[in-house]
Amino acid sequence: MKGKVYLVGSGPGGLGLLTQRARQVIDQADVVLYDQLPGEEVLATLPEKAEKIDCGKFGGTHTLEQETIEALMIKKAKEGKRVVRLKGGDPFLFGRGGEELEVLREHNIPVELVSGVTSALAVPGAVGIPLTHRKYASQVTIITGHEEPGKPISGLDWENLAKNPGTLVILMGVKNIPVITQNLVSHGKDSETPVAIIERGLRPDQRVTAGTLRTIADLVKLRGVRPPAIIVIGDVVKLYREDGPGLVPF
Ligand code: SAH
């Protein structure tokens, strides 16, 4: 008997944006290897009968190393189990889902991708910020603001990013916001460009901090902004309203 691994995205938070396919495979899982990013509401619904393994990975803290997680998935699948690897948002957008797919393929383990609603799109949306708008932005760039040891974020093409007229969305960028804003401005981006940071989007304690490239790093410090948070930079942020019309979190 051969098992199968499901790389499952849980969406940005809460049960509202968990897909029906995700619900189905989670409910039928023998083993669930979960990150913390899916959030309490989703994690509270993991099936009682399933073996549940906390892989951690939240704001840089790793409970289990990536290699250990991959080895566990392989081992459980080879035992013939239905293994769910549960991640926040979509597994293939900064979720290391691509790496896991490669390893599973190497071991000839059947894999199914269950796409999730990415936070990059849904979290700004939840506070009334569309990533594109005919008046403000015709393109979107999504980058990571996370600095890997030995791989500085200066590895990003800042000149290009600063010139880019569209919306810039940054995941994992809270810690590096001073470097990010500095890099953009020093490469020519207008320091009055609007910026919004949404912490814990679509969760009960969601919070938005809005400013400009010039002010945002200080605001982050002042308000103690913490991950997980999405940073949106560009004129679409002008559409943000504190009481966003018709935008009631579910
Ligand atoms: N695969 C995920 C992203 C994983 S990287 C996705 O598609 O959404 C982790 C980063 O995602 C966090 O540091 C944060 O920038 C962002 N993130 C995920 N969920 C979030 C949420 N509910 N609110 C704010 N940011 C979130």
Side-chain angles (χ1 to χ4, degrees), residues 9-14 35 37-38 57-60 87-97 116-124 143-146 169-174 197-203 206-207 226-231:
S10 69
D35 287 353
L37 199 57
K57 284 218 187 141
F58 181 75
K87 295 160 178 290
D90 184 274
F92 279 4
L93 191 80
F94 298 129
R96 303 192 77 165
V117 177
T118 181
S119 63
L121 194 63
V123 166
I143 65 167
T144 171
H146 179 66
V169 181
I170 307 175
L171 277 67
M172 299 176 276
V174 172
I197 306 189
I198 309 114
E199 293 169 86
R200 298 176 298 277
L202 289 150
R203 312 273 166 85
Q206 167 180 294
R207 180 172 72 153
R226 291 208 325 243
I230 299 277
I231 304 168

Side-chain angles (χ1 to χ4, degrees), residues 69-151:
I69 297 168
E70 288 167 1
L72 264 169
M73 279 196 290
I74 293 159
K75 178 171 174 280
K76 300 286 178 188
K78 283 191 170 161
E79 286 168 9
K81 305 222 163 98
R82 280 173 301 214
V83 181
V84 164
R85 176 76 180 102
L86 188 64
K87 295 160 178 290
D90 184 274
F92 279 4
L93 191 80
F94 298 129
R96 303 192 77 165
E99 290 165 48
E100 293 173 9
L101 173 70
E102 278 183 295
V103 173
L104 293 163
R105 275 181 177 157
E106 271 168 32
H107 287 81
N108 282 320
I109 291 165
V111 191
E112 179 181 325
L113 172 76
V114 181
S115 299
V117 177
T118 181
S119 63
L121 194 63
V123 166
V127 300
I129 304 174
L131 297 188
T132 68
H133 184 292
R134 294 215 306 184
K135 206 155 88 192
Y136 299 119
S138 303
Q139 64 186 61
V140 181
T141 307
I142 304 174
I143 65 167
T144 171
H146 179 66
E147 197 163 356
E148 290 279 350
K151 189 186 157 209

